[in-house]
Amino acid sequence: MSLYLAYVMVGLAIAMPVGAITVEMTKQGLKNGFIHGWAVGLGGMTIDIILILALYLGLASFLAMPIIQIPMWLIGAGFLLFLGYDSIKNADQGITLSGEKVKKSFFSSYRNGLLVAVSPGNLVFWVNVFGVVLAKSYDQGEPTNFLIVAAGVLSGILLHDVGLLAIISVTRKAMNRTMIKRLTIAAGVLLLGFAGYFIYEFIVAIQVYI
């Protein structure tokens, strides 16, 4: 239990800094409410769970290969460029004020979470941190410790997502359509900024092999 609780705090700490997934969650939460913001978070956690299982099954060395990680900078940038452009272009569309019926599908928000989470930052984190934890667990003859640590981190991320979206759900009640539109545009600009950073990291990484 102490190991689990310790890594719940690690999960919270990981989720606190503002990243692309937080920006997309906030945007969807403002436009369509708690459930759609949470759908983005669930999409991100789906990728996290897949990576954890891949590590547990012994694919850490494969995922750590530059030939796998480097293209993901470009793939992640492409997804973020798409989402950022879409956010700005359709900033005044699909806005559901508090009390109105949401027309957007849950799956579309979940899909956005999947797209944002397919980033090398995610991959590098899970490989570096959980690769060490997994190796240590097996050295001690207790591979189940890895699953306890993974559950703790995911629980911490989930707590952060629910807390953030609860605040957003309360805040959006005081917002009108124009305010939500402006914040959606700002979110789109931030997503484009993250895309630019991913492209920069791709160029830096690829220069080693040129």
Side-chain angles (χ1 to χ4, degrees):
M1 182 57 72
S2 61
L3 183 66
Y4 170 77
L5 292 175
Y7 277 90
V8 167
M9 300 307 296
V10 171
L12 279 169
I14 292 165
M16 285 294 182
V18 177
I21 195 79
T22 305
V23 172
E24 183 63 21
M25 268 198 318
T26 302
K27 185 192 81 177
Q28 293 298 335
L30 285 172
K31 290 187 78 171
N32 297 294
F34 180 94
I35 294 297
H36 283 267
W38 196 37
V40 174
L42 289 177
M45 288 185 69
T46 300
I47 298 297
D48 293 342
I49 291 169
I50 290 170
L51 288 174
I52 288 170
L53 289 174
L55 291 173
Y56 190 73
L57 293 172
L59 297 178
S61 58
F62 174 74
L63 295 175
M65 293 171 63
I67 197 172
I68 299 298
Q69 293 187 4
I70 291 175
M72 287 190 70
W73 286 115
L74 205 56
I75 293 168
F79 288 150
L80 291 178
L81 284 170
F82 166 73
L83 291 174
Y85 172 75
D86 184 68
S87 292
I88 296 170
K89 181 183 177 183
N90 301 311
D92 59 343
Q93 298 178 20
I95 297 175
T96 308
L97 297 177
S98 182
E100 295 180 355
K101 185 177 180 180
V102 179
K103 295 180 180 179
K104 184 171 183 174
S105 71
F106 179 89
F107 176 76
S108 63
S109 297
Y110 176 79
R111 179 208 62 197
N112 285 5
L114 288 173
L115 294 180
V116 174
V118 179
S119 72
N122 241 6
L123 181 59
V124 169
F125 168 77
W126 292 116
V127 169
N128 290 343
V129 175
F130 275 79
V132 173
V133 173
L134 182 59
K136 186 177 179 182
S137 297
Y138 275 107
D139 288 343
Q140 295 173 345
E142 298 179 0
T144 53
N145 281 355
F146 176 77
L147 298 179
I148 294 171
V149 168
V153 172
L154 290 173
S155 297
I157 294 172
L158 184 61
L159 281 173
H160 166 269
D161 292 353
V162 171
L164 173 66
L165 291 166
I167 294 170
I168 291 169
S169 295
V170 173
T171 304
R172 75 189 290 264
K173 292 179 181 178
M175 290 186 173
N176 58 31
R177 199 171 296 274
T178 301
M179 292 171 68
I180 293 176
K181 175 185 174 182
R182 288 174 180 171
L183 286 171
T184 301
I185 292 172
V189 172
L190 283 173
L191 290 172
L192 292 178
F194 280 113
Y197 170 72
F198 280 19
I199 291 171
Y200 168 77
E201 288 292 345
F202 171 77
I203 293 170
V204 170
I206 203 74
Q207 282 178 341
V208 177
Y209 301 95
I210 296 177

